[in-house]
Amino acid sequence: MTPTRAEDNPYAMALAQYNRAVKHLALKRGIEDYLRIPRRELTVNFPVKMDDGSIRIFTGYRVHHSTARGPTKGGIRYHPDVTLDEVRALAMWMTWKCAVMNLPYGGAKGGVACDPKQLSLKELENLSRRYASEIAILIGPESDIPAPDLNTTPQIMAWITDTYSVLRGYAVPAVVTGKPVPVGGSLGRAQATGRGVMIATREALASMNRSLQGARVAVQGFGNVGAVSAALLHQAGACIVAASDTSGGTLNPRGLDPAALEQHKGETGRLVDYPGGEPIDNAGLLATECDVLIPAALEQQITAANADRVRAGFVVEGANGPTTPEADTILAERGVVVVPDILANAGGVTVSYFEWVQDLQSFFWTEEEINQRLERLMVRAFHEVKDMAEDKKVDLRLAALIRAISRVAEAIKILGIFP
Ligand code: NAD
């Protein structure tokens, strides 16, 4: 397990961030090493019945990074480029994210290397149910609770919940979050990550005496996170000047209407030919003249190769790991404020936590209660991180990591090492 360069490999990137942060903490060497590697990793190769009668073998993963602060929590990703190292990185970031938000969880992640766009609905269901049965030895409401991530939907979460429940012989809604509301999902969960991104953006601007009103925003990735962030920022008075998806993007300095973009995306499946803007590519999107850039697609999008072209004053990370450590250095030198993923996109896991609590109690809250609690936790976490950054004279990513790692290390110290 010795990944190469942080620019090429997400796990190397997560480790580079970790190594930078632990220099500011006086951890025992053994504890430092313990948190550098995942607690456990499962690789599954499994068959799926395809519509034409053939059988295809897929590879999936589930990784638990740390269990010190509670059961593990983390999404499941479907993407052709999913690798074990990517899942390791995402699991480690989940540990830090839950600790930054002070949620009682460790970090996990899962993924299947597949292209869901090439699968029929039935094939997608077969794949999801079989993957769920393969990882059923790890997941459970007390042990590890999956959620949606890239290309996984509330419907897929429902299939995973149902498969796990069938295996147990009774309904276990608390095994997965991000479910549809009629099967134990939480109000507000579908919008939660985007709502958190909006709150983080608002707080970051306010900390520099700026307002969301009229702020120009460019969003890379118009999926769950990107589209909701754009809609809520627009609602709060910001001006969405550009948005993109895998097809490319659309730019209009006078402003785009996120609802119209969503409708166009729904009808055509692509943003690039949206009639209300000029077509741009993803390189152009990242270089858009704007106040706030929200990468909300994949990791390693802002790199040493393009960080000097970013023209935003703020980068608010909707995606996990969109900025490489080299790019971080370049952005910091240029005075760009980066609100790190483990803080900016933590709204999703926070409302997933609310969903899990509601499922365990079989007692459900109103959307207003959920949004108020999310607002409180996001604002608290933002200001804790900002105060730490000012105190230690470090950037927000380093401050968030220092805060998170010290919380996890403290838990390990109190629990002790078995036996
Ligand atoms: P999604 O599948 O709903 O949307 C992803 C979007 O990104 C799609 O519009 C897709 O077309 C676009 N995209 C993919 N590759 C791209 C590329 N190379 N360039 C431009 N656009 C591209 O996924 P999501 O749930 O919105 O997740 C997006 C990111 O946010 C991921 O990094 C994920 O880990 C992170 N995240 C998601 C959640 C959540 O609750 N869903 C929570 C925290 C973080």
Side-chain angles (χ1 to χ4, degrees):
M1 242 173 32
T2 40
T4 48
R5 290 186 337 132
E7 290 281 297
D8 309 323
N9 180 310
Y11 184 48
M13 188 176 139
L15 286 177
Q17 293 170 345
Y18 176 76
N19 291 338
R20 186 170 162 240
V22 290
K23 288 197 187 114
H24 294 261
L25 292 161
L27 299 184
K28 271 190 174 166
R29 179 65 195 274
I31 302 298
E32 199 181 302
D33 290 345
Y34 187 33
L35 287 174
R36 197 169 269 123
I37 48 169
R39 170 90 198 273
R40 53 176 83 94
E41 310 178 334
L42 177 67
T43 298
V44 291
N45 301 300
F46 58 94
V48 175
K49 273 188 227 150
M50 309 302 281
D51 290 347
D52 64 2
S54 65
I55 292 171
R56 260 183 70 190
I57 310 299
F58 290 87
T59 299
Y61 308 96
R62 187 75 189 165
V63 171
H64 294 175
H65 172 258
S66 167
T67 54
R69 286 172 46 86
T72 53
K73 187 95 194 72
I76 290 171
R77 169 175 294 201
Y78 291 172
H79 195 274
D81 299 337
V82 163
T83 61
L84 183 54
D85 268 349
E86 182 184 56
V87 180
R88 285 171 173 150
L90 290 161
M92 188 187 234
W93 288 325
M94 281 308 296
T95 300
W96 309 146
K97 194 181 301 183
C98 294
V100 165
M101 296 305 294
N102 212 5
L103 307 179
Y105 288 136
K109 205 76 180 190
V112 179
C114 67
D115 184 354
K117 286 186 188 145
Q118 304 299 321
L119 299 173
S120 71
L121 195 65
K122 185 66 198 152
E123 289 169 340
L124 195 62
E125 178 175 353
N126 290 350
L127 180 144
S128 302
R129 287 186 179 278
R130 182 65 195 230
Y131 170 67
S133 74
E134 297 284 337
I135 63 165
I137 53 173
L138 288 187
I139 64 175
E142 297 89 17
S143 56
D144 175 23
I145 307 109
D149 191 70
L150 206 66
N151 291 324
T152 51
T153 58
Q155 176 61 70
I156 293 173
M157 297 306 115
W159 289 328
I160 296 176
T161 306
D162 185 60
T163 303
Y164 185 86
S165 299
V166 167
L167 293 174
R168 288 288 168 275
Y170 50 91
V172 193
V175 65
V176 169
T177 59
K179 300 179 295 297
V181 172
V183 292
S186 175
L187 295 169
R189 173 61 184 91
Q191 298 78 28
T193 310
R195 183 172 295 279
V197 168
M198 181 273 286
I199 296 168
T201 307
R202 187 193 68 209
E203 295 301 305
L205 286 168
S207 70
M208 312 275 271
N209 296 320
R210 307 261 306 265
S211 147
L212 274 183
Q213 202 63 40
R216 293 160 310 156
V217 179
V219 182
Q220 184 202 36
F222 206 70
N224 175 290
V225 178
V228 175
S229 302
L232 293 177
L233 284 163
H234 174 80
Q235 227 176 63
C239 175
I240 310 301
V241 291
S244 71
D245 60 16
T246 40
S247 69
T250 184
L251 168 79
N252 185 341
R254 291 189 309 281
L256 297 158
D257 174 8
L261 282 179
E262 185 107 68
Q263 191 182 350
H264 181 80
K265 170 104 176 148
E267 283 163 8
T268 66
R270 29 194 283 127
L271 285 183
V272 68
D273 43 20
Y274 175 67
E278 294 297 316
I280 48 167
D281 60 14
N282 265 294
L285 182 292
L286 295 175
T288 301
E289 174 83 54
C290 60
D291 301 302
V292 181
L293 172 63
I294 301 180
L298 295 169
E299 54 268 29
Q300 295 170 303
Q301 297 299 301
I302 305 173
T303 65
N306 63 10
D308 58 346
R309 274 180 253 145
V310 169
R311 286 194 280 169
F314 296 81
V315 172
V316 182
E317 296 184 329
N320 289 307
T323 314
T324 65
E326 290 85 344
D328 260 340
T329 307
I330 297 168
L331 294 176
E333 280 165 10
R334 297 183 49 226
V336 179
V337 175
V338 178
V339 186
D341 45 9
I342 58 172
L343 174 63
N345 70 35
V349 71
T350 303
V351 177
S352 271
Y353 164 58
F354 298 162
E355 181 174 333
W356 177 73
V357 168
Q358 292 171 85
D359 286 336
L360 289 175
Q361 300 181 340
S362 299
F363 181 71
F364 292 85
W365 311 341
T366 64
E367 187 160 0
E368 199 188 357
E369 281 173 296
I370 287 156
N371 289 343
Q372 277 172 1
R373 287 175 201 256
L374 173 63
E375 166 83 25
R376 244 194 340 262
L377 293 198
M378 283 298 300
V379 170
R380 183 186 73 188
F382 182 90
H383 288 280
E384 283 177 0
V385 169
K386 189 176 152 283
D387 291 350
M388 168 80 76
E390 281 166 8
D391 187 39
K392 297 218 174 259
K393 301 197 173 21
V394 296
D395 58 51
L396 292 174
R397 187 184 316 282
L398 196 47
L401 283 166
I402 292 170
R403 185 141 194 92
I405 296 167
S406 53
R407 274 190 175 144
V408 180
E410 186 193 10
I412 295 171
K413 196 171 152 201
I414 296 169
L415 291 167
I417 301 289
F418 175 84

